[in-house]
Amino acid sequence: VFLLAGMPGPGAVPSNPWGSWWDEVSSRARGEWGWELDSVYLSTALRCVPRRVMRKEVQRCSAFLAEELHVVGPRLVLVSGRVAAVALREALGGSVPSNPRAGDSFNALGATFLFNLDVARTGGDEETSRVFWEVLRKAEGFTRDRGP
């Protein structure tokens, strides 16, 4: 499973670009749902934290994202938020839906891409948080359906 956020999370380091977001996601996935998380790969569409996300930044990083997806070769990519979705479209082209909604999915590069709300927004709004966790939980079905 390849987790793709738009930009690095709070407290991000090279070995954990999601920072404290990963702490929350992994704790819930492991503790509440019993997921094994040994094969999770964390990434961000942008490699830096700009003051304001500009299309130029997304375009600059998209080649790195495309290469990373080819090298890692995931079966499932969870795309968290609009910045990640736009970067994915820049990286992979027109096969990526232009306005995906949380829960939408498509297939490319031998992987299923599942779109979700931005993990950065889960702490502020109860409905956003509910939808985020619901879609994340839905990912389990994609991994089970795809086999080993």
Side-chain angles (χ1 to χ4, degrees):
V1 176
F2 188 111
L3 296 180
L4 178 65
M7 62 185 69
V13 295
S15 62
N16 176 6
W18 276 48
S20 63
W21 298 334
W22 174 239
D23 297 338
E24 183 180 357
V25 168
S26 64
S27 174
R28 188 160 184 183
R30 208 180 260 124
E32 291 182 30
W33 305 331
W35 288 9
E36 291 296 324
L37 302 173
D38 300 335
S39 62
V40 172
Y41 183 89
L42 302 172
S43 185
T44 57
L46 299 179
R47 308 303 187 196
C48 59
V49 182
R51 283 184 292 171
R52 191 165 160 235
V53 177
M54 305 291 284
R55 185 159 196 87
K56 188 167 75 173
E57 293 292 326
V58 173
Q59 290 171 330
R60 184 179 307 137
C61 292
S62 66
F64 296 112
L65 176 58
E67 181 179 358
E68 190 174 28
L69 287 165
H70 284 289
V71 169
V72 174
R75 292 182 313 174
L76 177 64
V77 179
L78 295 171
V79 183
S80 176
R82 183 161 180 73
V83 172
V86 170
L88 190 61
R89 188 166 172 78
E90 284 288 331
L92 302 182
S95 66
V96 179
S98 58
N99 290 305
R101 299 176 59 87
D104 288 352
S105 65
F106 79 102
N107 295 306
L109 304 175
T112 297
F113 291 78
L114 177 62
F115 292 94
N116 203 345
L117 299 178
D118 193 337
V119 65
R121 295 176 45 210
T122 60
D125 174 33
E126 204 171 295
E127 179 64 11
T128 298
S129 183
R130 185 192 65 73
V131 170
F132 176 84
W133 292 110
E134 188 176 282
V135 172
L136 185 63
R137 183 65 197 240
K138 182 178 175 182
E140 185 175 32
F142 283 93
T143 58
R144 196 174 38 247
D145 295 345
R146 299 283 309 248

